[in-house]
Amino acid sequence: MKRSLFLTGILVSVTACASGSKPPPTPKLPYPAWYVSLVAPRHMEVWVESVDVLDQRGLAFYRVHGGVASYTGTVKGWPTEGGGGKPINNVDLPKTIYLRWQSLVEPQAYKVLIDIPQWVRDEMVKPQQVFCAWDQKIVTLYSRTISLGMAPGGIAKVWVGAGCIKDKEVGRYQAEVEPLGPYRGASKGKYVPLEPENKAYIDQHRIPYGSW
């Protein structure tokens, strides 16, 4: 209940808004939308304030994603495979991603600007024939998911992949501390409340800095 009341009071709706007065043309991609997945090591709870995208056309889209990051299967280290994600509609392939989040176990607010290399965009539109275990057949898929991993200390990890296609690491990044604090000062220094089970884990085991 405490978390619900806090979020109701502070959360700005997560919507996309393109720069400029005219609606942008529909991107010419081989699929309706690409995806963004938000992940964090188990118990290292993260609240994402905003994911903003500058696409390859030079158009800016704000708050295309946000909220709770999904947990990986381990506390230390990163998985080799990402999870599901949110579809990013009517946005061309990403050129730059601006990520702002709260690391609730510290707590600390971070921000990072991530330049997406051209090889990633090439990968996202390249059809790949892969064998899917759940389909038991060879299918044609695209690496259309960008996974954003966030860990204490301002560590960000990025992968590209999708479903039966093995993820490829894009890079590891060191974020900056947001000097204005959570929500850029709008919450007057108040962070999203940490879930009790995660607080109990941190109290007992501490934060494994350096493992990500």
Side-chain angles (χ1 to χ4, degrees):
M1 178 62 71
K2 182 179 178 183
R3 167 171 287 196
S4 298
L5 291 174
F6 179 86
L7 295 180
T8 300
I10 193 62
L11 181 61
V12 177
S13 62
V14 180
T15 57
C17 178
S19 60
S21 57
K22 295 181 179 180
T26 302
K28 295 180 180 179
L29 300 175
Y31 37 75
W34 54 280
Y35 288 74
V36 168
S37 174
L38 308 175
V39 296
R42 187 162 185 81
H43 297 298
M44 304 297 121
E45 193 174 355
V46 160
W47 177 263
V48 179
E49 294 182 0
S50 182
V51 178
D52 305 329
V53 174
L54 179 69
D55 74 11
Q56 64 180 351
R57 298 170 297 179
L59 296 177
F61 295 81
Y62 303 99
R63 299 185 180 92
V64 301
H65 203 354
V68 179
S70 300
Y71 292 132
T72 66
T74 60
V75 174
K76 298 180 180 180
W78 294 105
T80 56
E81 300 293 332
K86 176 185 176 181
I88 309 301
N89 297 291
N90 298 318
V91 180
D92 213 329
L93 298 179
K95 182 177 180 181
T96 304
I97 293 175
Y98 180 64
L99 175 63
R100 196 173 73 249
W101 81 93
Q102 297 176 27
S103 174
L104 303 183
V105 297
E106 297 182 85
Q108 187 63 265
Y110 295 103
K111 60 181 180 179
V112 64
L113 196 66
I114 300 167
D115 289 323
I116 304 298
Q118 181 60 47
W119 73 260
V120 175
R121 290 186 290 276
D122 294 341
E123 190 77 12
M124 293 177 76
V125 294
K126 181 177 69 176
Q128 300 184 51
Q129 288 193 323
V130 293
F131 177 78
C132 277
W134 54 76
D135 290 330
Q136 289 296 301
K137 61 182 180 181
I138 295 176
V139 296
T140 300
L141 298 174
Y142 294 88
S143 293
R144 56 175 177 160
T145 298
I146 298 289
S147 295
L148 305 173
M150 293 150 282
I155 301 302
K157 199 77 172 285
V158 181
W159 303 266
V160 62
C164 302
I165 301 176
K166 184 177 177 60
D167 285 351
K168 291 184 179 180
E169 182 177 326
V170 177
R172 181 181 183 274
Y173 307 85
Q174 177 62 60
E176 302 176 17
V177 170
E178 171 54 70
L180 298 177
Y183 292 107
R184 292 178 171 173
S187 65
K188 299 180 180 179
K190 293 183 179 180
Y191 288 84
V192 173
L194 181 64
E195 290 289 350
E197 65 176 281
N198 295 324
K199 184 180 185 304
Y201 182 91
I202 296 301
D203 288 343
Q204 181 177 359
H205 300 283
R206 303 302 178 187
I207 299 173
Y209 289 110
S211 65
W212 303 292

